[in-house]
PDB file of all heavy atoms in Angstrom:
ATOM      1  N   ASP N 231     -75.882  17.036 202.489  1.00  0.00           N
ATOM      2  CA  ASP N 231     -75.647  15.641 202.889  1.00  0.00           C
ATOM      3  C   ASP N 231     -76.588  14.705 202.186  1.00  0.00           C
ATOM      4  O   ASP N 231     -76.823  13.542 202.650  1.00  0.00           O
ATOM      5  CB  ASP N 231     -75.804  15.499 204.423  1.00  0.00           C
ATOM      6  CG  ASP N 231     -74.542  15.921 205.120  1.00  0.00           C
ATOM      7  OD1 ASP N 231     -73.548  16.304 204.455  1.00  0.00           O
ATOM      8  OD2 ASP N 231     -74.528  15.890 206.397  1.00  0.00           O
ATOM      9  N   ASN N 232     -77.157  15.158 201.029  1.00  0.00           N
ATOM     10  CA  ASN N 232     -78.061  14.340 200.218  1.00  0.00           C
ATOM     11  C   ASN N 232     -79.333  13.892 201.006  1.00  0.00           C
ATOM     12  O   ASN N 232     -79.862  12.825 200.790  1.00  0.00           O
ATOM     13  CB  ASN N 232     -77.352  13.126 199.654  1.00  0.00           C
ATOM     14  CG  ASN N 232     -76.206  13.486 198.758  1.00  0.00           C
ATOM     15  OD1 ASN N 232     -76.320  14.392 197.921  1.00  0.00           O
ATOM     16  ND2 ASN N 232     -75.076  12.806 198.920  1.00  0.00           N
ATOM     17  N   GLY N 233     -79.750  14.770 201.930  1.00  0.00           N
ATOM     18  CA  GLY N 233     -80.960  14.459 202.683  1.00  0.00           C
ATOM     19  C   GLY N 233     -82.165  15.085 202.023  1.00  0.00           C
ATOM     20  O   GLY N 233     -82.120  15.839 201.079  1.00  0.00           O
ATOM     21  N   VAL N 234     -83.344  14.740 202.616  1.00  0.00           N
ATOM     22  CA  VAL N 234     -84.620  15.316 202.189  1.00  0.00           C
ATOM     23  C   VAL N 234     -85.185  16.149 203.309  1.00  0.00           C
ATOM     24  O   VAL N 234     -85.372  15.653 204.426  1.00  0.00           O
ATOM     25  CB  VAL N 234     -85.611  14.184 201.781  1.00  0.00           C
ATOM     26  CG1 VAL N 234     -87.010  14.788 201.417  1.00  0.00           C
ATOM     27  CG2 VAL N 234     -85.042  13.378 200.645  1.00  0.00           C
ATOM     28  N   TRP N 235     -85.435  17.399 203.023  1.00  0.00           N
ATOM     29  CA  TRP N 235     -85.945  18.352 204.052  1.00  0.00           C
ATOM     30  C   TRP N 235     -87.485  18.341 204.016  1.00  0.00           C
ATOM     31  O   TRP N 235     -88.093  18.623 202.991  1.00  0.00           O
ATOM     32  CB  TRP N 235     -85.392  19.745 203.780  1.00  0.00           C
ATOM     33  CG  TRP N 235     -85.768  20.700 204.866  1.00  0.00           C
ATOM     34  CD1 TRP N 235     -86.778  21.625 204.893  1.00  0.00           C
ATOM     35  CD2 TRP N 235     -85.053  20.903 206.128  1.00  0.00           C
ATOM     36  NE1 TRP N 235     -86.746  22.334 206.041  1.00  0.00           N
ATOM     37  CE2 TRP N 235     -85.709  21.938 206.855  1.00  0.00           C
ATOM     38  CE3 TRP N 235     -83.947  20.280 206.674  1.00  0.00           C
ATOM     39  CZ2 TRP N 235     -85.296  22.344 208.073  1.00  0.00           C
ATOM     40  CZ3 TRP N 235     -83.536  20.689 207.945  1.00  0.00           C
ATOM     41  CH2 TRP N 235     -84.167  21.725 208.642  1.00  0.00           C
ATOM     42  N   ASN N 236     -88.100  18.046 205.128  1.00  0.00           N
ATOM     43  CA  ASN N 236     -89.580  18.036 205.212  1.00  0.00           C
ATOM     44  C   ASN N 236     -90.063  19.184 206.050  1.00  0.00           C
ATOM     45  O   ASN N 236     -89.955  19.156 207.275  1.00  0.00           O
ATOM     46  CB  ASN N 236     -90.041  16.695 205.826  1.00  0.00           C
ATOM     47  CG  ASN N 236     -89.630  15.503 204.979  1.00  0.00           C
ATOM     48  OD1 ASN N 236     -89.918  15.435 203.814  1.00  0.00           O
ATOM     49  ND2 ASN N 236     -88.889  14.574 205.617  1.00  0.00           N
ATOM     50  N   GLY N 237     -90.511  20.261 205.410  1.00  0.00           N
ATOM     51  CA  GLY N 237     -91.018  21.437 206.103  1.00  0.00           C
ATOM     52  C   GLY N 237     -92.212  21.976 205.354  1.00  0.00           C
ATOM     53  O   GLY N 237     -92.601  21.479 204.325  1.00  0.00           O
ATOM     54  N   PHE N 238     -92.777  23.023 205.906  1.00  0.00           N
ATOM     55  CA  PHE N 238     -93.941  23.646 205.260  1.00  0.00           C
ATOM     56  C   PHE N 238     -93.439  24.605 204.198  1.00  0.00           C
ATOM     57  O   PHE N 238     -92.989  25.709 204.468  1.00  0.00           O
ATOM     58  CB  PHE N 238     -94.808  24.420 206.295  1.00  0.00           C
ATOM     59  CG  PHE N 238     -96.087  24.933 205.710  1.00  0.00           C
ATOM     60  CD1 PHE N 238     -97.109  24.055 205.430  1.00  0.00           C
ATOM     61  CD2 PHE N 238     -96.264  26.270 205.444  1.00  0.00           C
ATOM     62  CE1 PHE N 238     -98.303  24.526 204.875  1.00  0.00           C
ATOM     63  CE2 PHE N 238     -97.417  26.748 204.883  1.00  0.00           C
ATOM     64  CZ  PHE N 238     -98.454  25.885 204.620  1.00  0.00           C
ATOM     65  N   ASP N 239     -93.495  24.142 202.977  1.00  0.00           N
ATOM     66  CA  ASP N 239     -92.902  24.836 201.837  1.00  0.00           C
ATOM     67  C   ASP N 239     -93.979  25.625 201.087  1.00  0.00           C
ATOM     68  O   ASP N 239     -94.631  25.145 200.124  1.00  0.00           O
ATOM     69  CB  ASP N 239     -92.250  23.798 200.903  1.00  0.00           C
ATOM     70  CG  ASP N 239     -91.551  24.458 199.699  1.00  0.00           C
ATOM     71  OD1 ASP N 239     -91.329  25.649 199.750  1.00  0.00           O
ATOM     72  OD2 ASP N 239     -91.239  23.701 198.744  1.00  0.00           O
ATOM     73  N   ILE N 240     -94.173  26.883 201.490  1.00  0.00           N
ATOM     74  CA  ILE N 240     -95.131  27.715 200.763  1.00  0.00           C
ATOM     75  C   ILE N 240     -94.694  27.867 199.338  1.00  0.00           C
ATOM     76  O   ILE N 240     -93.489  28.130 199.069  1.00  0.00           O
ATOM     77  CB  ILE N 240     -95.225  29.123 201.433  1.00  0.00           C
ATOM     78  CG1 ILE N 240     -95.684  29.003 202.896  1.00  0.00           C
ATOM     79  CG2 ILE N 240     -96.136  30.058 200.649  1.00  0.00           C
ATOM     80  CD1 ILE N 240     -95.624  30.294 203.639  1.00  0.00           C
ATOM     81  N   SER N 241     -95.578  27.694 198.391  1.00  0.00           N
ATOM     82  CA  SER N 241     -95.199  27.699 196.992  1.00  0.00           C
ATOM     83  C   SER N 241     -94.705  29.050 196.518  1.00  0.00           C
ATOM     84  O   SER N 241     -95.535  29.945 196.252  1.00  0.00           O
ATOM     85  CB  SER N 241     -96.399  27.228 196.130  1.00  0.00           C
ATOM     86  OG  SER N 241     -96.053  27.249 194.741  1.00  0.00           O
ATOM     87  N   GLY N 242     -93.407  29.155 196.382  1.00  0.00           N
ATOM     88  CA  GLY N 242     -92.832  30.376 195.833  1.00  0.00           C
ATOM     89  C   GLY N 242     -93.230  30.589 194.389  1.00  0.00           C
ATOM     90  O   GLY N 242     -93.384  31.759 193.936  1.00  0.00           O
ATOM     91  N   HIS N 243     -93.403  29.497 193.613  1.00  0.00           N
ATOM     92  CA  HIS N 243     -93.847  29.647 192.251  1.00  0.00           C
ATOM     93  C   HIS N 243     -95.251  30.212 192.167  1.00  0.00           C
ATOM     94  O   HIS N 243     -95.505  31.110 191.335  1.00  0.00           O
ATOM     95  CB  HIS N 243     -93.796  28.284 191.566  1.00  0.00           C
ATOM     96  CG  HIS N 243     -92.428  27.822 191.177  1.00  0.00           C
ATOM     97  ND1 HIS N 243     -92.163  26.676 190.469  1.00  0.00           N
ATOM     98  CD2 HIS N 243     -91.216  28.415 191.414  1.00  0.00           C
ATOM     99  CE1 HIS N 243     -90.850  26.576 190.280  1.00  0.00           C
ATOM    100  NE2 HIS N 243     -90.251  27.600 190.850  1.00  0.00           N
ATOM    101  N   CYS N 244     -96.161  29.694 192.973  1.00  0.00           N
ATOM    102  CA  CYS N 244     -97.546  30.221 192.932  1.00  0.00           C
ATOM    103  C   CYS N 244     -97.555  31.704 193.342  1.00  0.00           C
ATOM    104  O   CYS N 244     -98.259  32.502 192.722  1.00  0.00           O
ATOM    105  CB  CYS N 244     -98.427  29.428 193.894  1.00  0.00           C
ATOM    106  SG  CYS N 244     -98.965  27.787 193.204  1.00  0.00           S
ATOM    107  N   PHE N 245     -96.780  32.069 194.312  1.00  0.00           N
ATOM    108  CA  PHE N 245     -96.677  33.496 194.739  1.00  0.00           C
ATOM    109  C   PHE N 245     -96.116  34.342 193.593  1.00  0.00           C
ATOM    110  O   PHE N 245     -96.749  35.310 193.149  1.00  0.00           O
ATOM    111  CB  PHE N 245     -95.807  33.601 195.960  1.00  0.00           C
ATOM    112  CG  PHE N 245     -95.155  34.968 196.091  1.00  0.00           C
ATOM    113  CD1 PHE N 245     -95.861  36.114 196.361  1.00  0.00           C
ATOM    114  CD2 PHE N 245     -93.772  35.095 195.877  1.00  0.00           C
ATOM    115  CE1 PHE N 245     -95.269  37.366 196.461  1.00  0.00           C
ATOM    116  CE2 PHE N 245     -93.122  36.351 195.958  1.00  0.00           C
ATOM    117  CZ  PHE N 245     -93.900  37.460 196.241  1.00  0.00           C
ATOM    118  N   LEU N 246     -94.938  33.981 193.117  1.00  0.00           N
ATOM    119  CA  LEU N 246     -94.218  34.883 192.171  1.00  0.00           C
ATOM    120  C   LEU N 246     -94.896  34.908 190.795  1.00  0.00           C
ATOM    121  O   LEU N 246     -95.034  35.973 190.230  1.00  0.00           O
ATOM    122  CB  LEU N 246     -92.774  34.394 191.999  1.00  0.00           C
ATOM    123  CG  LEU N 246     -91.875  35.349 191.205  1.00  0.00           C
ATOM    124  CD1 LEU N 246     -91.875  36.728 191.778  1.00  0.00           C
ATOM    125  CD2 LEU N 246     -90.447  34.780 191.161  1.00  0.00           C
ATOM    126  N   LEU N 247     -95.374  33.757 190.290  1.00  0.00           N
ATOM    127  CA  LEU N 247     -96.006  33.746 189.003  1.00  0.00           C
ATOM    128  C   LEU N 247     -97.313  34.508 189.008  1.00  0.00           C
ATOM    129  O   LEU N 247     -97.615  35.226 188.019  1.00  0.00           O
ATOM    130  CB  LEU N 247     -96.239  32.327 188.545  1.00  0.00           C
ATOM    131  CG  LEU N 247     -94.959  31.491 188.285  1.00  0.00           C
ATOM    132  CD1 LEU N 247     -95.280  30.055 187.961  1.00  0.00           C
ATOM    133  CD2 LEU N 247     -94.160  32.099 187.124  1.00  0.00           C
ATOM    134  N   SER N 248     -98.057  34.380 190.067  1.00  0.00           N
ATOM    135  CA  SER N 248     -99.342  35.144 190.148  1.00  0.00           C
ATOM    136  C   SER N 248     -99.040  36.658 190.259  1.00  0.00           C
ATOM    137  O   SER N 248     -99.664  37.461 189.591  1.00  0.00           O
ATOM    138  CB  SER N 248    -100.166  34.696 191.339  1.00  0.00           C
ATOM    139  OG  SER N 248     -99.477  34.872 192.572  1.00  0.00           O
ATOM    140  N   TYR N 249     -98.070  37.030 191.092  1.00  0.00           N
ATOM    141  CA  TYR N 249     -97.736  38.467 191.268  1.00  0.00           C
ATOM    142  C   TYR N 249     -97.203  39.037 189.986  1.00  0.00           C
ATOM    143  O   TYR N 249     -97.586  40.152 189.597  1.00  0.00           O
ATOM    144  CB  TYR N 249     -96.756  38.602 192.428  1.00  0.00           C
ATOM    145  CG  TYR N 249     -96.390  40.078 192.701  1.00  0.00           C
ATOM    146  CD1 TYR N 249     -97.345  40.967 193.079  1.00  0.00           C
ATOM    147  CD2 TYR N 249     -95.106  40.517 192.501  1.00  0.00           C
ATOM    148  CE1 TYR N 249     -97.007  42.306 193.302  1.00  0.00           C
ATOM    149  CE2 TYR N 249     -94.759  41.820 192.728  1.00  0.00           C
ATOM    150  CZ  TYR N 249     -95.716  42.741 193.115  1.00  0.00           C
ATOM    151  OH  TYR N 249     -95.412  44.056 193.362  1.00  0.00           O
ATOM    152  N   CYS N 250     -96.289  38.340 189.268  1.00  0.00           N
ATOM    153  CA  CYS N 250     -95.755  38.850 188.044  1.00  0.00           C
ATOM    154  C   CYS N 250     -96.819  38.996 186.958  1.00  0.00           C
ATOM    155  O   CYS N 250     -96.836  40.021 186.256  1.00  0.00           O
ATOM    156  CB  CYS N 250     -94.650  37.895 187.544  1.00  0.00           C
ATOM    157  SG  CYS N 250     -93.079  37.949 188.502  1.00  0.00           S
ATOM    158  N   ALA N 251     -97.667  38.023 186.807  1.00  0.00           N
ATOM    159  CA  ALA N 251     -98.722  38.077 185.806  1.00  0.00           C
ATOM    160  C   ALA N 251     -99.659  39.244 186.128  1.00  0.00           C
ATOM    161  O   ALA N 251    -100.022  39.995 185.169  1.00  0.00           O
ATOM    162  CB  ALA N 251     -99.538  36.789 185.768  1.00  0.00           C
ATOM    163  N   LEU N 252    -100.073  39.421 187.351  1.00  0.00           N
ATOM    164  CA  LEU N 252    -100.980  40.520 187.670  1.00  0.00           C
ATOM    165  C   LEU N 252    -100.301  41.871 187.474  1.00  0.00           C
ATOM    166  O   LEU N 252    -100.933  42.839 187.036  1.00  0.00           O
ATOM    167  CB  LEU N 252    -101.457  40.351 189.135  1.00  0.00           C
ATOM    168  CG  LEU N 252    -102.408  39.185 189.364  1.00  0.00           C
ATOM    169  CD1 LEU N 252    -102.560  38.903 190.840  1.00  0.00           C
ATOM    170  CD2 LEU N 252    -103.775  39.483 188.750  1.00  0.00           C
ATOM    171  N   MET N 253     -99.046  41.947 187.812  1.00  0.00           N
ATOM    172  CA  MET N 253     -98.293  43.251 187.690  1.00  0.00           C
ATOM    173  C   MET N 253     -98.184  43.591 186.184  1.00  0.00           C
ATOM    174  O   MET N 253     -98.398  44.774 185.842  1.00  0.00           O
ATOM    175  CB  MET N 253     -96.929  43.109 188.316  1.00  0.00           C
ATOM    176  CG  MET N 253     -96.128  44.436 188.309  1.00  0.00           C
ATOM    177  SD  MET N 253     -94.590  44.225 189.228  1.00  0.00           S
ATOM    178  CE  MET N 253     -93.962  45.900 189.127  1.00  0.00           C
ATOM    179  N   ILE N 254     -97.854  42.651 185.367  1.00  0.00           N
ATOM    180  CA  ILE N 254     -97.726  42.940 183.919  1.00  0.00           C
ATOM    181  C   ILE N 254     -99.060  43.418 183.347  1.00  0.00           C
ATOM    182  O   ILE N 254     -99.132  44.420 182.612  1.00  0.00           O
ATOM    183  CB  ILE N 254     -97.253  41.667 183.169  1.00  0.00           C
ATOM    184  CG1 ILE N 254     -95.810  41.381 183.547  1.00  0.00           C
ATOM    185  CG2 ILE N 254     -97.373  41.885 181.641  1.00  0.00           C
ATOM    186  CD1 ILE N 254     -95.254  40.079 182.967  1.00  0.00           C
ATOM    187  N   VAL N 255    -100.144  42.712 183.671  1.00  0.00           N
ATOM    188  CA  VAL N 255    -101.443  43.123 183.181  1.00  0.00           C
ATOM    189  C   VAL N 255    -101.857  44.498 183.621  1.00  0.00           C
ATOM    190  O   VAL N 255    -102.442  45.286 182.879  1.00  0.00           O
ATOM    191  CB  VAL N 255    -102.538  42.068 183.611  1.00  0.00           C
ATOM    192  CG1 VAL N 255    -103.931  42.542 183.333  1.00  0.00           C
ATOM    193  CG2 VAL N 255    -102.268  40.742 182.912  1.00  0.00           C
ATOM    194  N   GLU N 256    -101.477  44.855 184.833  1.00  0.00           N
ATOM    195  CA  GLU N 256    -101.739  46.249 185.307  1.00  0.00           C
ATOM    196  C   GLU N 256    -100.902  47.264 184.525  1.00  0.00           C
ATOM    197  O   GLU N 256    -101.415  48.303 184.141  1.00  0.00           O
ATOM    198  CB  GLU N 256    -101.388  46.368 186.785  1.00  0.00           C
ATOM    199  CG  GLU N 256    -102.357  45.665 187.747  1.00  0.00           C
ATOM    200  CD  GLU N 256    -103.677  46.413 187.829  1.00  0.00           C
ATOM    201  OE1 GLU N 256    -103.789  47.559 187.365  1.00  0.00           O
ATOM    202  OE2 GLU N 256    -104.644  45.843 188.359  1.00  0.00           O
ATOM    203  N   GLU N 257     -99.619  46.970 184.290  1.00  0.00           N
ATOM    204  CA  GLU N 257     -98.784  47.970 183.639  1.00  0.00           C
ATOM    205  C   GLU N 257     -99.087  48.136 182.146  1.00  0.00           C
ATOM    206  O   GLU N 257     -98.979  49.270 181.635  1.00  0.00           O
ATOM    207  CB  GLU N 257     -97.309  47.534 183.795  1.00  0.00           C
ATOM    208  CG  GLU N 257     -96.809  47.650 185.241  1.00  0.00           C
ATOM    209  CD  GLU N 257     -96.846  49.082 185.811  1.00  0.00           C
ATOM    210  OE1 GLU N 257     -96.826  50.013 184.980  1.00  0.00           O
ATOM    211  OE2 GLU N 257     -96.858  49.202 187.034  1.00  0.00           O
ATOM    212  N   VAL N 258     -99.509  47.111 181.431  1.00  0.00           N
ATOM    213  CA  VAL N 258     -99.820  47.256 180.006  1.00  0.00           C
ATOM    214  C   VAL N 258    -101.157  48.026 179.839  1.00  0.00           C
ATOM    215  O   VAL N 258    -101.508  48.415 178.738  1.00  0.00           O
ATOM    216  CB  VAL N 258     -99.854  45.944 179.269  1.00  0.00           C
ATOM    217  CG1 VAL N 258     -98.509  45.268 179.317  1.00  0.00           C
ATOM    218  CG2 VAL N 258    -100.952  45.018 179.822  1.00  0.00           C
ATOM    219  N   ALA N 259    -101.880  48.280 180.975  1.00  0.00           N
ATOM    220  CA  ALA N 259    -103.103  49.050 180.853  1.00  0.00           C
ATOM    221  C   ALA N 259    -102.921  50.442 180.390  1.00  0.00           C
ATOM    222  O   ALA N 259    -103.835  51.094 179.917  1.00  0.00           O
ATOM    223  CB  ALA N 259    -103.811  49.091 182.237  1.00  0.00           C
ATOM    224  N   VAL N 260    -101.651  50.941 180.404  1.00  0.00           N
ATOM    225  CA  VAL N 260    -101.361  52.285 179.961  1.00  0.00           C
ATOM    226  C   VAL N 260    -101.707  52.415 178.441  1.00  0.00           C
ATOM    227  O   VAL N 260    -102.027  53.520 177.983  1.00  0.00           O
ATOM    228  CB  VAL N 260     -99.867  52.632 180.199  1.00  0.00           C
ATOM    229  CG1 VAL N 260     -98.997  51.836 179.263  1.00  0.00           C
ATOM    230  CG2 VAL N 260     -99.632  54.133 180.019  1.00  0.00           C
ATOM    231  N   LEU N 261    -101.737  51.330 177.727  1.00  0.00           N
ATOM    232  CA  LEU N 261    -102.054  51.405 176.295  1.00  0.00           C
ATOM    233  C   LEU N 261    -103.468  51.790 176.034  1.00  0.00           C
ATOM    234  O   LEU N 261    -103.811  52.222 174.921  1.00  0.00           O
ATOM    235  CB  LEU N 261    -101.749  50.040 175.635  1.00  0.00           C
ATOM    236  CG  LEU N 261    -100.290  49.561 175.641  1.00  0.00           C
ATOM    237  CD1 LEU N 261    -100.092  48.271 174.823  1.00  0.00           C
ATOM    238  CD2 LEU N 261     -99.374  50.667 175.132  1.00  0.00           C
ATOM    239  N   GLU N 262    -104.338  51.617 177.075  1.00  0.00           N
ATOM    240  CA  GLU N 262    -105.745  51.976 176.896  1.00  0.00           C
ATOM    241  C   GLU N 262    -105.945  53.479 176.809  1.00  0.00           C
ATOM    242  O   GLU N 262    -106.984  53.957 176.403  1.00  0.00           O
ATOM    243  CB  GLU N 262    -106.576  51.437 178.066  1.00  0.00           C
ATOM    244  CG  GLU N 262    -106.600  49.900 178.098  1.00  0.00           C
ATOM    245  CD  GLU N 262    -107.319  49.379 179.337  1.00  0.00           C
ATOM    246  OE1 GLU N 262    -108.067  50.145 179.964  1.00  0.00           O
ATOM    247  OE2 GLU N 262    -107.114  48.195 179.713  1.00  0.00           O
TER     248      GLU N 262
END
C-alpha cells in the first residue's frame, strides 16, 4: 500500500557480509 514500515531492522547486510567474508577467509586457509 506504498507505506513505510517502522520496526527494529537488524542489519541483514552486516550479518551476511561479515559471515560470508569470515567463512571465505577460513576456507582458503587450506592453501597454507
Side-chain angles (χ1 to χ4, degrees):
D231 279 358
N232 298 318
V234 176
W235 187 262
N236 299 304
F238 188 73
D239 182 16
I240 300 173
S241 177
H243 282 184
C244 283
F245 153 70
L246 187 56
L247 294 175
S248 60
Y249 181 62
C250 286
L252 290 167
M253 185 175 183
I254 290 173
V255 170
E256 288 287 347
E257 291 298 338
V258 298
V260 72
L261 297 186
E262 295 175 19

